[in-house]
């Protein structure tokens, strides 16, 4: 008997074995999709992991339902990489599979109800049951969602169970194909009229139908001017013919339709040569190439606007000329818009883009193009998820802005770090990896000191550009001297006015969206709280509502205090919406834009805002940390940071490192042309060491200070951190479970265990949270630690009382 091991997209730690027949065993390969039954009724799409002849011991293997692919859609290298992710980040292969594959690949069954034709005793049914029974008489199949809608209630499973017990209905599992290829309709002359002699006969026959004759002649004119297939819709619109006239020609057998499959995403041809590098760039490029001969991993540490992208472009061109694929990773989708526009000038239709803002069908097409190693998928630009693509011959991985926290996946599993996972992938497929940033992460720079990675530095801006001048404004003094207008100091407003008078643009940075983070009653001090989370609601002025930024809860802004009923509600703090309103009032004749999560929800919103700002249609752009990540605007002469203290005082061991990185990066948006830019940072503590280091761009000083603190308090890069999170809606249960788990871990790991503790926000989405931290020295065996931790987890989940508690493990939780 032949069997296959299948990876199912479920958070279960093992593979599942299924029976296959002799015909299937000769056809099935590792990496193919199969539809298999699971449990009593469910059907899932799984990936074939192995074909063998060893029967499972604990259960009888079921037969598969169907095979979905003619060729594997997952490469063997991918499965090896996924196995490493599963082991290192302590998650199941199924969770990696669900994160890696576009969901349209993972066909799942949907439960449908149908009527039992032999059931006749309607008197046995209750009123609600009869409603379903009656609906099934008019519609042969009903989904669970439809039943819920008919009854206007969420809980319908007990009702369905009763109908099953009364044998009034049947249950079916129906599998649907989610991916639909884009088929474009084209027009062509029927074959029997292609002969010149017959064509003349046709024109003679159409002499009595001048409109139809004109269409045929116009068709030949179009065909003579273009060698491409003639698109039906474009042909009709361009020539302003009616559909009915062309349909009559098709009915007569003169024209015929045909369809061709096309990609939904199209890129143009390359129009520019990659620009020549200046002396400093060329030296850096040669150093990178030389370092790659001895070390496959290199960091390009270049100041902002030093021309790192052009160096990347030269390296990309070398790899593409060798026939290799290149992966270009960016931390934010916002970055891809400007980056694609630049690289498309050099590489044209060899670029494919992959990120979550693309539709499911678009992502499937990119996946298939990469799998087939097509020319239009040689350079892949994308965010985190593009790391899982089925590369055929990967030669180079570029991790741009490697320091960014956006590269870390927090929820759901796998909780991987893109940079570290990319390093493993590069070593696995023997590719080179280049990281680039102006503000390297502490871990990366420490690995350079340990000579794990090579380093290339680029200390000068491109052309005649100079690093911006950074000025700190003491808010304590400005408030005391009454030199504030709203949230703007007089100094900042003066510089904004000067920039606008010189037809230059301004960026204002505040890393908090919404209008105000807190609404408070001045009579009783009550602040509206989210009913699902332990946070106050944020006020959004444009819709005049209160929102939770954790669970999405929304409520209208109350007129009076809900506690004391006095109309004395006021706002505290400020976000990007409030800044936009204030700056518009101060400069009413200028165009103000805003870029944050609220204004970039749509697929093309990033592109629209960035293009408008680049075209100088927006004079002042207000935004969050999206603005700090590698965007290039040549006309920006001034950057204003409205409040640097919120970042510095964040309760996290990386707060100072990330504050430095954020402030240096956002400062780097200023003065990217010949004129020297200016940066104003408003703060209540201008003597803070991080702010002083930002003004002088002293990365090395910050690095040394942070290393001393990390060593003293046992944090990375000297210790590894594994965070265990427990979540449950019952506070007492999660409290008791965390105490049990904390004691069990201390029995094994002693003083390396911290907690259990409640995080700053101890309840999110009605789930109470408890954290336990493991701080492991670098000399401790991580595999052995994980084996022991997995044993404790298994023991924890074997206790029936704790089985319903969510148990999350985050390796390298930073």
């Amino acid at each position: 008997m032949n069997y296959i091991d299948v990876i199912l997209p479920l958070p279960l730690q093992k593979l599942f074995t299924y029976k296959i027949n002799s015909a299937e065993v000769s056809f099935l390969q590792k990496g193919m999709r199969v539809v298999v039954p699971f449990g009593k009724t469910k059907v899932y799409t799984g990936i074939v992991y192995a074909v063998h002849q060893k029967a499972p011991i604990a259960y009888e293997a079921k037969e598969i339902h169907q095979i979905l692919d003619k060729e594997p859609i997952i490469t063997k290298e991918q499965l090896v990489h996924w196995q490493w992710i599963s082991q290192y980040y302590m998650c199941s292969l199924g969770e990696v599979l669900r994160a890696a594959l576009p969901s349209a690949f993972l066909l799942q069954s949907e439960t449908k109800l149908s009527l039992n034709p032999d059931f006749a005793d309607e008197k046995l049914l209750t009123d609600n049951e009869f409603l379903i029974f009656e609906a099934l008489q008019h519609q042969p199949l009903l989904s669970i969602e439809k039943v819920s809608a008919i009854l206007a209630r969420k809980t319908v499973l007990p009702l369905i169970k009763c109908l099953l017990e009364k044998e009034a209905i049947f249950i079916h599992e129906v599998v649907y194909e989610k991916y639909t290829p884009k088929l474009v309709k084209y027009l062509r002359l029927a074959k029997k009229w292609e002969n010149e002699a017959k064509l003349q006969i046709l024109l003679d026959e159409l002499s009595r139908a001048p409109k139809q004759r004109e269409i045929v002649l116009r068709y030949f004119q179009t065909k003579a001017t273009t060698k491409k297939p003639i698109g039906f819709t474009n042909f009709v619109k361009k020539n302003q013919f009616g559909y009915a006239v062309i349909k009559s020609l098709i009915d007569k057998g003169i024209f015929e339709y045909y369809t061709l499959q096309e990609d939904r995403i199209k890129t143009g041809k390359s129009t520019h040569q990659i620009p020549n590098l200046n002396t400093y760039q060329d030296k850096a490029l040669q150093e990178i190439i030389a370092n790659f001969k001895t070390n496959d991993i290199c960091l390009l540490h270049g100041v902002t606007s030093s021309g790192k992208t052009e160096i990347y472009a030269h390296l990309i061109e070398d790899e593409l000329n060798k026939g290799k694929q290149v992966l270009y990773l960016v931390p934010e989708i916002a970055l891809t818009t400007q980056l694609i526009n630049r690289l498309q000038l050099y590489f044209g239709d060899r670029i494919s883009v992959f990120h979550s803002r693309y539709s499911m069908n678009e992502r499937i097409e990119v996946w298939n193009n990469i799998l087939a190693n097509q020319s239009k998928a040689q350079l892949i630009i994308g965010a985190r998820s593009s790391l899982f693509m089925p590369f055929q011959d990967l030669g180079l991985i570029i991790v741009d802005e490697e320091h960014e926290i956006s590269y870390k996946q927090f929820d759901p599993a796998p909780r991987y770090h893109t940079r570290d996972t990319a390093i493993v992938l590069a070593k696995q497929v023997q590719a080179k990896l280049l990281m680039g940033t102006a503000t390297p992460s502490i871990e990366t720079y420490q690995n350079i000191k340990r000579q794990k990675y090579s380093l290339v530095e680029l200390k000068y801006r491109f052309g005649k550009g100079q690093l911006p001048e950074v000025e700190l404004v003491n808010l304590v003094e400005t408030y005391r001297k009454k030199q504030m207008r709203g949230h703007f100091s007089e100094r900042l407003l003066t510089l904004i006015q000067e920039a606008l008078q010189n037809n230059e643009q301004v960026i204002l940075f505040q890393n908090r969206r919404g209008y105000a983070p807190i609404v408070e009653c001045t009579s009783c001090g009550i602040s509206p709280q989210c009913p699902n989370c332990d946070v106050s609601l944020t006020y959004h002025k444009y819709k005049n509502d209160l929102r939770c930024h954790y669970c999405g809860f929304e409520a209208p802004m109350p007129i009076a205090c809900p506690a004391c009923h006095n109309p004395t509600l006021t706002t505290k703090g400020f976000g990007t919406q409030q800044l936009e309103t204030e700056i518009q009032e101060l400069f009413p004749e200028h165009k103000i834009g805003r870029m944050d999560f609220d204004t970039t929800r749509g697929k093309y919103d990033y592109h629209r805002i960035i293009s408008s700002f680049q075209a100088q249609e927006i004079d002042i752009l207000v935004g969050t940390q999206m603005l700090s990540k590698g965007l290039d605007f040549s006309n920006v002469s001034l950057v204003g940071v409205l409040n640097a203290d919120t970042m510095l005082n964040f309760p996290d061991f990386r707060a100072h490192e990330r504050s430095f990185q954020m402030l240096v990066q956002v400062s780097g948006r200023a003065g990217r042309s010949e004129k020297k830019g200016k940066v104003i940072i408003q703060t209540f503590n201008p003597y803070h060491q991080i702010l002083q280091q930002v003004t002088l761009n002293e990365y090395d000083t910050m690095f040394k200070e942070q290393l001393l603190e990390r060593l003293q308090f046992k944090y990375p890069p000297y210790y590894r951190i594994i965070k265990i999170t427990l979540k449950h809606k019952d506070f007492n249960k999660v409290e008791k479970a965390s105490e049990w788990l904390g004691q069990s871990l201390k029995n094994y790991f002693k003083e390396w265990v911290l907690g259990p503790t409640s995080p700053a926000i101890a309840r999110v989405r009605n789930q109470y949270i408890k954290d336990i931290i493991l701080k492991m020295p670098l000399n401790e065996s991580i595999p052995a630690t994980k084996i022991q931790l997995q044993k404790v987890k298994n023991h924890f989940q074997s206790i029936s009382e704790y089985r319903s508690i969510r148990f999350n493990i985050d390796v390298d939780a930073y």
Side-chain angles (χ1 to χ4, degrees):
M1 185 66 71
N2 297 302
Y3 300 91
I4 56 170
D5 289 337
V6 175
I7 308 170
L8 294 180
L10 300 170
L12 301 172
Q13 288 294 336
K14 62 178 183 177
L15 303 173
F16 295 88
T17 305
Y18 290 86
K19 282 191 293 190
I20 54 174
N21 58 40
S22 55
E24 291 167 339
V25 74
S26 61
F27 180 79
L28 277 172
Q29 299 178 52
K30 197 172 183 178
M32 282 185 172
R33 290 180 302 156
V34 288
V35 177
V36 296
F38 187 78
K40 292 183 179 179
T41 58
K42 284 294 179 185
V43 177
Y44 286 101
T45 301
I47 298 293
V48 177
Y49 187 78
V51 181
H52 58 86
Q53 295 178 327
K54 187 177 180 181
I57 298 172
Y59 57 93
E60 184 179 349
K62 297 178 181 178
E63 294 182 352
I64 66 173
H65 280 355
Q66 66 183 107
I67 301 170
L68 294 177
D69 303 309
K70 294 180 181 178
E71 300 288 338
I73 66 161
I74 308 294
T75 66
K76 293 178 181 177
E77 290 79 11
Q78 272 180 292
L79 288 174
V80 172
H81 191 223
W82 292 3
Q83 188 73 50
W84 177 86
I85 293 172
S86 171
Q87 291 172 351
Y88 186 82
Y89 291 105
M90 298 190 71
C91 61
S92 69
L93 263 174
E95 288 171 312
V96 180
L97 170 65
R98 183 167 285 283
L101 275 185
S103 60
F105 274 137
L106 299 173
L107 311 185
Q108 286 184 336
S109 62
E110 185 179 3
T111 303
K112 296 280 188 178
L113 311 183
S114 68
L115 199 63
N116 181 359
D118 298 328
F119 182 79
D121 196 355
E122 298 178 9
K123 294 178 181 179
L124 293 175
L125 303 178
T126 64
D127 291 344
N128 282 335
E129 290 169 355
F130 182 76
L131 282 175
I132 303 306
F133 182 80
E134 190 177 38
L136 285 169
Q137 290 176 331
H138 297 92
Q139 194 170 337
L141 290 175
L142 280 180
S143 66
I144 302 293
E145 290 76 14
K146 273 281 183 68
V147 172
S148 183
I150 290 168
L151 299 177
R153 55 192 285 187
K154 291 183 179 179
T155 309
V156 294
L157 294 181
L159 187 73
I160 293 171
K161 184 181 177 185
C162 291
L163 285 167
L164 280 170
E165 290 171 352
K166 293 172 184 177
E167 298 183 350
I169 61 168
F170 296 125
I171 279 187
H172 313 272
E173 290 293 320
V174 182
V175 179
Y176 296 97
E177 177 68 62
K178 296 180 182 177
Y179 171 64
T180 52
K182 181 183 178 183
L183 299 175
V184 179
K185 192 184 289 185
Y186 290 92
L187 193 68
R188 66 186 173 196
L189 197 68
K191 285 187 178 180
K192 65 179 180 179
W193 301 110
E194 288 181 353
N195 183 285
E196 284 190 21
K198 288 189 176 182
L199 185 59
Q200 189 59 50
I201 294 170
L202 171 63
L203 293 173
D204 291 340
E205 286 181 2
L206 293 176
S207 59
R208 294 181 181 178
K211 193 70 177 177
Q212 293 182 4
R213 192 173 192 273
E214 184 188 350
I215 291 173
V216 174
L217 290 172
R218 195 68 62 87
Y219 170 84
F220 281 106
Q221 288 175 2
T222 307
K223 195 174 182 183
T225 56
T226 179
K227 295 181 180 179
K228 296 179 181 178
I230 297 174
F232 174 75
T233 304
N234 289 338
F235 180 72
V236 172
K237 287 182 178 179
K238 185 178 180 181
N239 296 290
Q240 297 181 343
F241 296 129
Y243 286 96
V245 184
I246 295 182
K247 188 178 183 303
S248 64
L249 287 169
I250 292 169
D251 293 339
K252 288 180 179 179
I254 297 171
F255 281 134
E256 60 185 19
Y257 292 132
Y258 69 103
T259 57
L260 293 176
Q261 183 175 337
E262 291 188 2
D263 284 354
R264 289 171 168 83
I265 306 169
K266 294 181 180 179
T267 52
K269 298 288 184 181
S270 58
T271 56
H272 291 65
Q273 292 290 323
I274 301 173
N276 294 325
L277 304 179
N278 64 22
T279 305
Y280 304 111
Q281 288 174 309
D282 188 61
K283 181 184 176 186
L285 176 62
Q286 299 310 318
E287 287 180 14
I288 291 168
I289 293 170
N291 284 329
F292 274 155
K293 293 177 181 178
T294 56
N295 194 331
D296 292 337
I297 304 170
C298 181
L299 170 70
L300 175 58
H301 183 193
V303 298
T304 55
S305 192
S306 57
K308 295 186 286 295
T309 305
E310 280 67 35
I311 295 174
Y312 299 156
H314 280 271
L315 290 168
I316 290 167
E317 186 177 45
D318 290 344
E319 292 299 321
L320 297 188
N321 290 339
K322 296 175 189 174
K324 299 276 189 178
Q325 291 176 320
V326 177
L327 173 62
Y328 194 131
L329 289 166
V330 292
E332 283 276 2
I333 297 168
L335 263 181
T336 60
T337 299
Q338 202 172 46
L339 185 66
I340 293 162
N341 291 339
R342 290 176 69 179
L343 294 182
Q344 194 174 328
L345 297 175
Y346 313 143
F347 304 110
D349 54 7
R350 291 187 285 179
I351 293 176
S352 284
V353 182
F354 189 89
H355 56 62
S356 60
R357 286 297 171 98
Y358 277 1
S359 71
M360 196 52 60
N361 287 329
E362 289 169 339
R363 280 183 269 173
I364 292 283
E365 287 167 1
V366 173
W367 183 285
N368 290 335
N369 290 338
I370 294 171
L371 184 64
N373 202 10
Q374 295 191 13
S375 60
K376 54 188 169 186
Q378 285 185 281
L379 171 58
I380 299 94
I381 302 172
R384 287 192 303 253
S385 55
S386 57
L387 191 69
F388 295 106
M389 304 301 285
F391 303 106
Q392 297 299 302
D393 193 6
L394 192 60
L396 174 67
I397 301 174
I398 296 170
V399 184
D400 200 12
E401 309 294 349
E402 66 82 23
H403 65 278
E404 275 292 341
I405 185 60
S406 305
Y407 279 130
K408 172 67 176 172
Q409 165 77 7
F410 291 103
D411 268 316
R415 296 171 179 84
Y416 64 99
H417 197 293
T418 308
R419 178 196 62 220
D420 301 340
T421 310
I423 289 170
V424 173
L425 176 63
K427 288 188 175 180
Q428 179 189 320
V429 300
Q430 298 181 335
K432 307 297 182 184
L433 185 136
L434 177 64
M435 296 176 281
T437 179
T439 52
S441 65
I442 299 292
E443 284 75 18
T444 297
Y445 217 67
Q446 180 70 346
N447 280 327
I448 288 166
K449 300 294 183 185
R450 293 170 177 164
Q451 298 185 338
K452 288 186 176 181
Y453 311 154
S454 54
L455 172 67
V456 174
E457 293 185 301
L458 195 55
K459 297 182 179 180
Y460 302 97
R461 282 193 156 188
F462 183 77
K464 298 180 181 179
Q466 302 177 56
L467 286 172
E469 179 186 344
V470 181
E471 181 181 330
L472 302 177
V473 173
N474 189 339
L475 289 179
V476 175
E477 287 295 309
T478 53
Y479 273 110
R480 186 177 64 82
K481 295 177 180 178
K482 298 182 180 179
Q483 294 176 342
M484 295 290 292
R485 293 179 66 185
H487 294 96
F488 299 91
S489 62
E490 289 288 352
R491 176 63 175 156
L492 178 55
L493 288 175
T494 300
L495 291 173
I496 291 174
Q497 186 68 54
E498 289 177 6
L500 295 176
Q501 286 174 353
N502 296 329
N503 293 321
E504 295 163 347
Q505 292 169 291
V506 178
I507 287 177
L508 298 176
F509 173 76
Q510 168 65 2
N511 203 21
R512 187 187 292 275
R513 64 187 175 97
Y515 188 86
I518 298 172
V519 175
E520 186 179 77
C521 176
T522 55
S523 297
C524 66
I526 292 294
S527 177
Q529 300 289 307
C530 174
N532 308 315
C533 312
D534 286 345
V535 291
S536 59
L537 294 171
T538 300
Y539 176 49
H540 287 247
K541 187 174 183 180
Y542 291 122
K543 289 190 175 181
N544 196 35
D545 64 0
L546 300 172
R547 298 182 200 172
C548 175
H549 289 175
Y550 287 83
C551 71
F553 172 81
E554 294 184 21
M557 177 69 173
I559 298 172
C561 173
C564 68
H565 306 295
N566 286 322
T568 51
L569 290 173
T570 186
T571 60
K572 288 193 172 182
F574 63 100
T576 50
Q577 279 189 12
Q578 190 169 163
L579 286 183
E580 182 187 21
T581 302
E582 287 184 8
I583 203 71
Q584 188 69 74
E585 292 172 356
L586 291 167
F587 300 97
E589 69 280 6
H590 292 279
K591 176 70 174 173
I592 313 298
R594 177 164 57 92
M595 187 172 174
D596 55 25
F597 182 77
D598 297 318
T599 61
T600 55
R601 292 176 186 270
K603 181 177 179 180
Y604 300 108
D605 286 342
Y606 286 113
H607 180 74
R608 174 181 55 79
I609 296 170
I610 290 170
S611 298
S612 296
F613 194 61
Q614 201 160 17
Q616 300 181 27
E617 296 169 2
I618 297 173
D619 300 313
I620 302 174
L621 184 59
V622 179
T624 58
Q625 42 96 23
M626 290 179 182
L627 294 173
S628 68
K629 301 178 181 179
L631 297 174
D632 188 359
F633 303 112
S634 59
N635 197 43
V636 174
S637 64
L638 175 66
V639 169
V641 179
L642 275 295
N643 189 353
D645 302 306
T646 52
M647 294 182 288
L648 290 168
N649 298 326
F650 195 76
D652 186 277
F653 76 94
R654 291 186 180 277
H656 287 181
E657 175 194 358
R658 287 183 180 149
S659 296
F660 179 90
Q661 291 166 342
M662 185 80 73
L663 292 170
V664 169
Q665 290 288 341
V666 77
S667 299
R669 303 315 108 205
R672 295 176 78 91
S673 57
E674 292 185 9
K675 183 178 177 180
K676 189 173 184 177
K678 187 87 175 178
V679 180
I680 297 294
I681 299 177
Q682 296 185 165
T683 174
F684 287 96
N685 187 7
Y687 305 106
H688 196 289
Q689 78 269 23
I690 289 294
L691 297 180
Q692 293 297 321
Q693 290 156 7
V694 168
T695 58
L696 301 173
N697 199 26
E698 292 182 336
Y699 176 82
D700 287 331
T701 306
M702 184 277 295
F703 172 73
K704 291 172 184 175
E705 287 182 1
Q706 290 301 303
L707 274 188
L708 287 173
E709 287 187 15
R710 303 282 178 87
L711 181 61
Q712 182 181 357
F713 296 106
K714 300 181 179 179
Y715 281 113
Y718 297 107
Y719 285 75
R720 293 182 184 273
I721 290 181
I722 300 176
K723 184 168 82 170
I724 300 150
T725 302
L726 302 181
K727 295 182 181 181
H728 197 268
K729 62 182 179 181
D730 186 333
F731 174 79
N732 293 324
K733 183 177 283 191
V734 78
E735 181 79 18
K736 183 179 176 183
S738 64
E739 292 294 336
W740 182 96
L741 180 63
Q743 189 56 51
S744 297
L745 290 170
K746 286 171 184 174
N747 291 339
Y748 292 109
F749 300 111
K750 310 298 181 187
E751 72 278 5
W752 298 335
V753 179
L754 296 180
T757 59
S758 296
I761 300 170
R763 182 175 61 104
V764 175
R765 298 179 187 271
N766 276 325
Q767 298 275 315
Y768 292 95
I769 304 170
K770 283 287 183 178
D771 289 337
I772 298 174
I773 303 292
L774 293 185
K775 286 186 176 181
M776 307 302 297
L778 291 182
N779 58 3
E780 285 295 318
S781 168
I782 284 294
T785 300
K786 290 175 183 173
I787 290 170
Q788 198 61 59
L789 181 54
Q790 188 62 50
K791 287 180 180 178
V792 174
K793 181 181 178 181
N794 293 341
H795 189 187
F796 177 88
Q797 293 178 331
S798 68
I799 302 171
S800 58
E801 186 182 357
Y802 301 154
R803 204 167 291 150
S804 61
I805 296 174
R806 286 180 60 188
F807 189 117
N808 296 334
I809 299 175
D810 191 353
V811 179
D812 294 340
Y814 50 81

